[in-house]
Amino acid sequence: MDFNEIKSISDKYLMPTYNHFPVALASGKNATLTASDGREIIDFTSGIGVNIFGVNDDGWKNAVTQQIERIQHTSNLYYNETVAVAAKLLCEKSGFDKVLFCNSGAEANECAIKLARKYSYDRYGENRSTIISLVNSFHGRTMATITATGQEHYHKFFMPFVDGFKYAEVGNKEAFSELLDGTVCAVILEVIQGEGGVLLTPSDYIKYIRQLCDENDIILIFDEVQTGVGRTGKLYAWENIGVKPDVLTSAKGLGDGLPVGACLATEKFGSTLTAGTHGTTFGGNPVVLAGAIEILNRIDNEFLKSVREKGEYIKNKVITFNDVFEVRGMGLMIGVDLKTKKAADVAARCVEKGLLILTAKQSLRMLPPLTVTKNEIDKGLEILKNVLAE
Ligand SMILES: *Cc1c(COP(=O)(O)O)cnc(C)c1O
């Protein structure tokens, strides 16, 4: 099919929840994609932080196909070796004790919310179920996670929303402490707000929250759906700030393109959700987890160092480009603020010129595959530089 045919069929049959860029992606290798018309396109998006080993990775493909040839799905009612190995590996590497596998970031956050409320209910009974999230956060699209998302424009159309959420202003310690009225059971936050504009949550604010959570037996949840799995140059972003949460949610990069989510918990909280209190049909699918094992095994210290180095290389170049006002981020999660140009216009123009790049609020956002090569980085940055100079 040519592009126009793909577009017209898609526009006719897909619910119009996304404004598509005018390109159809067909295949590729690493961060170099091929469009339906054969055009080469450099990928600085990884499908929004998902394809962390790029497209068509040989090791990942082998792991996934080998599992497909054995067994593609078992209910969570039965044990499976691949699931066991993935659970052990993820817990050991991340420093947590128990994991629940699901299918997406929103689902991982749903699990964290349910875990927090049940932990509190078991210990303190009813009326201690409030979850605090941060203003400008993003936690997903399900009813509970859009409610947790601290942005007004998500809180329209779908009322009634889920009760028991409050929003704290980022960086304001006093306002945060005033929210602790005895009904709070958990706090959920992103170390870097991704959808919110690649904004680093101040680490002294997070430390303060950690301290208040400890003092009040409140569960601290980090939503590392976007920041996790090596994205920020550590396996999980909490390692960059030295504040460990009680519960951590992971998704996006964990499956390298196959749908997966994980809700991790420390020993104290890990057995809160008992048989019958939570579950999922597909969650922890062995095919997906075979791919996750391959990824986790390859993210070692040397790999993480290369992520940090590539991030610095990109930041140092981009700050010299025309119209760039600020470049920020950690590892290969990078936000760029522009002086006069609109990020959305720049992203659209980049696609025409052969570069996929994301926006987040008014900022440009880059989430290239962690395996992006120097050559691919240079090709992509050349396009961005030219577009910003127009
Ligand atoms: C993408 C994202 C989510 C939602 O993940 P889905 O897999 O789309 O449900 C939640 N939290 C953060 C921080 C994200 O970036």
Side-chain angles (χ1 to χ4, degrees):
M1 278 187 216
D2 69 11
F3 171 71
N4 286 327
E5 202 178 345
I6 297 169
K7 175 175 163 30
S8 68
I9 294 174
S10 304
D11 292 348
K12 181 161 191 277
Y13 290 106
L14 292 173
M15 288 193 189
T17 51
Y18 280 84
N19 292 317
H20 292 81
F21 285 99
V23 62
L25 303 170
S27 60
K29 189 74 190 169
N30 203 34
T32 308
L33 307 182
T34 308
S36 54
D37 58 5
R39 210 157 54 97
E40 184 181 278
I41 300 179
I42 299 295
D43 180 20
F44 279 5
T45 70
S46 331
I48 318 197
V50 170
N51 304 333
I52 53 168
F53 282 10
V55 170
N56 217 340
D57 178 80
D58 291 331
W60 175 82
K61 268 194 303 189
N62 280 339
V64 167
T65 8
Q66 277 178 24
Q67 182 61 47
I68 286 179
E69 283 166 1
R70 275 188 232 118
I71 190 168
Q72 80 277 24
H73 169 79
T74 65
S75 165
N76 286 311
L77 290 168
Y78 309 103
Y79 289 112
N80 172 267
E81 181 180 326
T82 304
V83 177
V85 170
K88 179 171 189 271
L89 185 64
L90 181 57
C91 284
E92 285 180 354
K93 281 207 146 199
S94 65
F96 287 81
D97 299 298
K98 289 224 192 294
V99 61
L100 180 136
F101 288 118
C102 50
N103 309 286
S104 68
E107 274 186 42
N109 287 333
E110 286 277 342
C111 178
I113 289 164
K114 284 178 73 176
L115 185 159
R117 286 192 168 166
K118 180 156 187 300
Y119 173 85
S120 187
Y121 181 88
D122 289 347
R123 287 206 154 191
Y124 306 101
E126 284 178 50
N127 303 321
R128 192 178 178 280
S129 55
T130 303
I131 314 255
I132 298 179
S133 71
L134 301 190
V135 171
N136 197 48
S137 56
F138 181 80
H139 298 298
R141 299 283 193 167
T142 61
M143 287 305 296
T145 59
I146 43 172
T147 311
T149 292
Q151 303 186 45
E152 280 299 316
H153 69 99
Y154 283 91
H155 302 162
K156 292 195 299 198
F157 316 127
F158 311 117
M159 45 285 284
F161 289 93
V162 178
D163 274 346
F165 286 86
K166 284 184 183 172
Y167 311 96
E169 187 193 330
V170 178
N172 188 337
K173 294 179 187 170
E174 199 180 308
F176 181 86
S177 72
E178 281 167 12
L179 291 175
L180 301 186
D181 57 1
T183 72
V184 176
C185 70
V187 179
I188 182 166
L189 62 85
E190 297 154 274
V191 176
I192 304 174
Q193 292 186 333
E195 302 304 311
V198 195
L199 301 175
L200 282 69
T201 307
S203 57
D204 66 316
Y205 178 66
I206 299 179
K207 282 184 185 133
Y208 176 78
I209 292 175
R210 172 74 276 178
Q211 189 194 329
L212 289 193
C213 285
D214 286 339
E215 288 168 10
N216 296 286
D217 199 21
I218 292 169
I219 296 185
L220 181 56
I221 304 162
F222 283 2
D223 176 348
E224 292 232 30
V225 169
Q226 191 160 150
T227 52
V229 204
R231 176 57 59 190
T232 68
K234 297 278 182 185
L235 185 61
Y236 284 98
W238 68 265
E239 298 167 58
N240 285 311
I241 56 168
V243 181
K244 189 178 173 183
D246 304 305
V247 171
L248 180 149
T249 58
S250 183
K252 292 199 163 88
L254 189 56
D256 198 34
L258 292 178
V260 65
C263 177
L264 289 147
T266 56
E267 193 65 47
K268 184 177 173 193
F269 304 102
S271 300
T272 303
L273 292 171
T274 48
T277 61
H278 197 52
T280 152
T281 298
F282 288 120
N285 175 288
V287 174
V288 176
L289 292 183
I293 291 169
E294 166 76 12
I295 287 168
L296 288 167
N297 275 328
R298 273 162 61 190
I299 301 183
D300 57 14
N301 284 335
E302 203 179 320
F303 183 86
L304 291 169
K305 188 166 159 242
S306 79
V307 171
R308 296 193 293 272
E309 283 168 0
K310 288 181 218 175
E312 288 310 307
Y313 178 78
I314 293 175
K315 281 198 263 185
N316 288 334
K317 283 216 153 174
V318 171
I319 193 68
T320 67
F321 293 175
N322 182 51
D323 207 44
V324 170
F325 167 70
E326 185 183 81
V327 186
R328 59 179 177 271
M330 280 181 190
L332 284 169
M333 180 169 183
I334 297 168
V336 182
D337 282 352
L338 303 172
K339 289 179 194 153
T340 59
K341 288 186 161 56
K342 281 213 171 81
D345 297 342
V346 172
R349 185 76 178 131
C350 283
V351 174
E352 283 173 28
K353 295 279 184 186
L355 171 68
L356 302 186
I357 190 165
L358 295 161
T359 60
K361 294 282 165 65
Q362 312 312 322
S363 306
L364 284 172
R365 175 173 47 149
M366 299 183 210
L367 299 169
L370 306 184
T371 51
V372 65
T373 63
K374 173 108 185 318
N375 185 29
E376 288 168 333
I377 292 174
D378 286 342
K379 277 190 192 170
L381 289 183
E382 187 63 25
I383 294 170
L384 178 63
K385 182 181 174 181
N386 290 337
V387 167
L388 289 175
E390 279 175 357

